[in-house]
Amino acid sequence: MREFLRTTRFRVALTSFVTSLLALGVVSAWLVVDAENRLGQGAAQVARARAAAIVQLLNTGAAPADLLVLVRDSAYEVVDRFGRRVIGCPGLRHGLLARGDEYWRGDSVSVLEAGAVDESMPGSVGCRGVLGRDIETTETRVHVAAETSGDSKYRIYGAAVVDESGQAALDAVRVTLLVGVPVIALLIGAVAWLAVRRSLRPVEAIRSEVAEIGAHDLSRRVPAPDSADEIAKLAETMNTMLARLDTAVTRQSRFTSDASHELRTPLASLRTQLEVLLAHPDRLDWRDACRNALLDITRLQDLVGDLVLLGKLDNAEPERATPVRLSEVVESCLSGRQGVRAGLDEDPLVLGDRGRLERLLRNLVDNAQRHTRTGVEVRVSTVDGFAVLAVTDDGPGIPVADRERVFDRFVRLDDGRARDDGGAGLGLAIVAEIAQAHGGTVEVADHVGGARLVVRLPLAKPRS
């Protein structure tokens, strides 16, 4: 039961029910009160008109006695300046009181029970026959208005009953609203329940599918509804995330497998040399054995360093983002190298980590020198808001089909890039990761008679 009360469907339905109940209740109450006030204002206007008509007759010189029949038949009362009733319905100036618990307070008084006559006042002519109401069985709203004659000798009170048909219609509307508002609010809550239930079906399907997807089954995708609403966007986002996870897991698995293989080779070579040296200490030159073992250890150290760097690049932005001049990077990397020419068309300024940018250029030059025949050229320029760093060699080049794959990890394209003559296949992968971490790109450009690798990095924005 608690789980049901916590569901989104129940909360939305309950919120819709309560909100609609309050809103409809407030609007209904306002309508009833407004209609009631309008009926009362109409009766008050009639009462004032009646009193004004008697005032007009008195102002023309008529005496109260001449108005006896008119006053009796129309529920008037005339009072002199001393407050003594001259003629009319006794108790009318007190608002036609039925229980004596309310008194006239102004030009208009509303009472619930009309037709009451103060029988204690002597000389009462009564108004029951005119108003036609029995105070024991009927509740009627009556309004009383007061006017003063022109000579201020008399004060005239006139009464009018609220329209009976209008009051009956208002009472019927009140009863209808008392019953209808809760029913309508309940209906709105039910509609909200059904609408939310229908809307959440795709979400439940997505949840069920995600719950069944395991770490080794990331190729599965969640069902995407045909609608173009937020749930469809959620499903699209989930599928995009699963695709990224699938790619990352596959890449990590392949990387782990390749790394273990690359680490196993120098370790096996090192162990073999040591075992042979221990087994035949008199037949081998220990200096040559130690020299070969040191080469394997150096190679192993370089491989571990590359793996650590790739791990950092996978999980972090450049450590120090500072303005760096590419001319200084080129000068630092090419210092002491033979067979490498530098061409600086411009001196662009980029934002990044100088140490990693030097590593990027060093890997490119190492790769070019490994395959060139005569020499390597490094050229720096600026094109369309990007700093362009191009490294060109005159070696065998890179086939078009392998120009994207060459930046994958542990990739060697041919025997010229064999393990004995080169690295572990991580150099260009590190170049791609560093360029991406700096917001740039790297690609193999078209070049006749060799290979040209081009890195584009966004220029640093000038300080304002």
Side-chain angles (χ1 to χ4, degrees), residues 38-155:
R38 289 178 182 274
L39 288 175
Q41 290 173 2
Q45 185 176 1
V46 172
R48 286 193 295 270
R50 289 177 176 178
I54 299 300
V55 169
Q56 185 177 3
L57 290 175
L58 291 174
N59 291 337
T60 59
D66 299 334
L67 306 175
L68 179 60
V69 177
L70 179 62
V71 171
R72 284 179 178 175
D73 293 341
S74 302
Y76 294 102
E77 183 178 53
V78 180
V79 180
D80 62 15
R81 69 181 66 182
F82 302 105
R84 294 173 296 187
R85 179 178 59 84
V86 176
I87 193 171
C89 295
L92 183 59
R93 63 181 181 278
H94 299 306
L96 293 178
L97 298 179
R99 298 190 178 94
D101 54 357
E102 292 188 24
Y103 294 90
W104 177 72
R105 299 181 297 274
D107 293 337
S108 178
V109 173
S110 296
V111 295
L112 294 178
E113 298 178 1
V117 177
D118 190 353
E119 302 294 347
S120 64
M121 295 186 66
S124 172
V125 295
C127 300
R128 188 186 303 276
V130 177
L131 296 179
R133 295 299 172 193
D134 184 356
I135 63 174
E136 300 296 335
T137 60
T138 306
E139 293 184 354
T140 304
R141 297 174 60 210
V142 178
H143 282 259
V144 178
E147 296 287 343
T148 304
S149 61
D151 54 7
S152 300
K153 293 175 59 178
Y154 303 102
R155 188 168 180 81

Side-chain angles (χ1 to χ4, degrees), residues 171-182:
D171 293 339
V173 169
R174 183 186 290 109
V175 174
T176 302
L177 290 176
L178 286 175
V179 177
V181 167

Side-chain angles (χ1 to χ4, degrees), residues 397-399 402-403 405-406 411-418 428:
I398 300 176
D402 296 326
R403 289 184 177 180
R405 191 171 69 90
V406 74
V411 171
R412 300 181 186 85
L413 298 183
D414 51 31
D415 294 337
R417 293 170 173 83
L428 294 183

Side-chain angles (χ1 to χ4, degrees), residues 214-218 242-256:
H216 302 288
D217 193 19
L218 295 175
L242 289 172
R244 290 199 303 265
L245 288 175
D246 188 18
T247 302
V249 170
T250 302
R251 182 179 180 182
Q252 188 69 27
S253 177
R254 184 173 63 249
F255 176 74
T256 303

Side-chain angles (χ1 to χ4, degrees), residues 118-400:
D118 190 353
E119 302 294 347
S120 64
M121 295 186 66
S124 172
V125 295
C127 300
R128 188 186 303 276
V130 177
L131 296 179
R133 295 299 172 193
D134 184 356
I135 63 174
E136 300 296 335
T137 60
T138 306
E139 293 184 354
T140 304
R141 297 174 60 210
V142 178
H143 282 259
V144 178
E147 296 287 343
T148 304
S149 61
D151 54 7
S152 300
K153 293 175 59 178
Y154 303 102
R155 188 168 180 81
I156 298 89
Y157 296 92
V161 180
V162 175
D163 181 61
E164 297 182 15
S165 60
Q167 186 66 46
L170 180 60
D171 293 339
V173 169
R174 183 186 290 109
V175 174
T176 302
L177 290 176
L178 286 175
V179 177
V181 167
V183 173
I184 293 175
L186 187 61
L187 180 61
I188 292 175
V191 172
W193 169 280
L194 295 176
V196 173
R197 180 183 179 183
R198 180 180 179 85
S199 299
L200 291 181
R201 284 178 181 173
V203 177
E204 178 62 23
I206 293 173
R207 188 202 64 79
S208 300
E209 185 67 20
V210 172
E212 295 179 1
I213 295 177
H216 302 288
D217 193 19
L218 295 175
S219 60
R220 297 175 60 174
R221 298 294 180 266
V222 299
D226 297 333
S227 59
D229 55 7
E230 292 81 359
I231 298 178
K233 294 180 181 178
L234 173 63
E236 181 180 354
T237 303
M238 290 289 294
N239 287 332
T240 302
M241 181 191 68
L242 289 172
R244 290 199 303 265
L245 288 175
D246 188 18
T247 302
V249 170
T250 302
R251 182 179 180 182
Q252 188 69 27
S253 177
R254 184 173 63 249
F255 176 74
T256 303
S257 176
D258 292 339
S260 62
H261 177 73
E262 294 296 333
L263 290 172
R264 187 183 301 114
T265 301
L267 287 174
S269 175
L270 180 60
R271 179 174 180 174
T272 301
Q273 294 182 57
L274 294 177
E275 287 178 348
V276 172
L277 182 60
L278 289 176
H280 307 282
D282 299 332
R283 298 182 182 180
L284 296 177
D285 187 353
W286 65 271
R287 291 184 178 84
D288 292 337
C290 290
R291 190 178 298 110
N292 293 332
L294 182 60
L295 292 176
D296 287 332
I297 292 175
T298 301
R299 180 182 172 191
L300 187 61
Q301 184 179 5
D302 293 340
L303 178 58
V304 171
D306 289 344
L307 293 175
V308 172
L309 178 58
L310 285 173
K312 291 181 179 180
L313 293 173
D314 284 339
N315 298 284
E317 295 294 328
E319 295 179 356
R320 297 179 300 275
T322 57
V324 178
R325 294 190 177 278
L326 287 186
S327 60
E328 298 177 358
V329 173
V330 172
E331 182 180 357
S332 174
C333 291
L334 302 188
S335 177
R337 287 181 180 261
Q338 300 295 326
V340 181
R341 303 183 305 276
L344 300 177
D345 298 337
E346 297 182 48
D347 187 12
L349 188 70
V350 299
L351 193 65
D353 185 302
R354 176 169 178 172
R356 292 187 178 178
L357 291 175
E358 290 179 356
R359 178 63 181 272
L360 177 148
L361 180 58
R362 187 164 58 251
N363 284 7
L364 289 175
V365 173
D366 289 343
N367 180 77
Q369 284 186 313
R370 191 176 298 122
H371 308 110
T372 189
R373 295 188 180 93
T374 60
V376 176
E377 181 185 16
V378 177
R379 184 166 294 278
V380 178
S381 60
T382 302
V383 178
D384 297 332
F386 284 87
V388 179
L389 179 64
V391 178
T392 307
D393 64 66
D394 58 354
I398 300 176
V400 177

